[in-house]
């Protein structure tokens, strides 16, 4: 199983960050790559449309409001992986109440691609996503 993780410090308190990214259907609010999200099954599933018009369906499998993290699996996507599980976490930065650290991680099995290729793919998605989050919170 392959995995990757990207962290980024963002210019907002952890509560504000979690309020923005903790909702399972809020990706379009901060991630330009995903302009559309439709909640399904009472909000436990989301159907996303990416910037290329492709559909991605994800299911929420863990959510912890108090610890500010959630995990989801991919049900359907144009990515060369299976067994994909990803987690978004928001951490406090010790001694700073105006900053938060966000960690986006995932693990998956490559399908018709090398491990290096899929690690590079998701590392790039996570990095670009956290850069977009930083920009949204800086505005």
């Amino acid at each position: 199983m392959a995995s990757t993780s990207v962290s980024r410090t963002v210019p907002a308190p952890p509560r504000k960050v979690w309020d923005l990214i903790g909702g399972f259907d809020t990706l379009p609010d901060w991630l330009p790559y995903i302009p559309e999200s439709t909640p399904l099954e009472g909000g436990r599933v989301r159907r996303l449309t990416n910037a290329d018009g492709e559909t991605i369906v994800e299911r929420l499998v863990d959510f912890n409001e108090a610890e500010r993290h959630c995990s989801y699996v991919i049900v359907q996507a144009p990515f060369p992986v299976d067994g994909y599980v990803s987690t978004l976490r928001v951490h406090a930065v010790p001694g700073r109440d105006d900053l938060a650290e966000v960690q986006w991680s995932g693990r998956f099995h490559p399908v018709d691609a090398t491990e290096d290729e899929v690690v590079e793919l998701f590392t790039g998605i996570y990095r670009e996503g956290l850069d977009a989050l930083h920009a949204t919170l800086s505005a």
Side-chain angles (χ1 to χ4, degrees):
M1 181 169 270
S3 65
T4 187
S5 181
V6 176
S7 294
R8 175 83 193 253
T9 300
V10 295
R15 176 85 258 155
K16 181 178 180 181
V17 177
W18 182 248
D19 287 348
L20 177 59
I21 72 171
F24 193 55
D25 193 40
T26 63
L27 285 178
D29 296 341
W30 60 274
L31 189 61
Y33 176 72
I34 303 293
E36 185 180 330
S37 179
T38 304
L40 305 167
E41 297 183 25
R44 303 279 302 171
V45 173
R46 62 187 177 195
R47 181 184 310 119
L48 308 170
T49 302
N50 69 17
D52 296 328
E54 298 169 314
T55 298
I56 303 162
V57 178
E58 299 173 334
R59 176 178 299 281
L60 185 66
V61 294
D62 183 44
F63 182 87
N64 189 309
E65 180 76 25
E67 295 181 13
R68 294 186 292 263
H69 66 81
C70 65
S71 297
Y72 60 92
V73 298
I74 288 179
V75 176
Q76 171 193 338
F79 305 125
V81 296
D82 67 8
Y84 178 98
V85 180
S86 185
T87 301
L88 265 173
R89 296 180 184 275
V90 178
H91 301 281
V93 174
R96 298 289 302 264
D97 57 4
D98 61 332
L99 299 175
E101 180 186 7
V102 181
Q103 179 187 36
W104 197 351
S105 61
R107 59 186 195 275
F108 34 81
H109 296 284
V111 174
D112 297 327
T114 67
E115 183 171 312
D116 288 343
E117 289 169 334
V118 293
V119 166
E120 181 179 332
L121 170 69
F122 286 107
T123 299
I125 289 171
Y126 299 165
R127 183 175 295 117
E128 289 174 18
L130 294 181
D131 288 349
L133 176 62
H134 186 280
T136 297
L137 292 166
S138 296

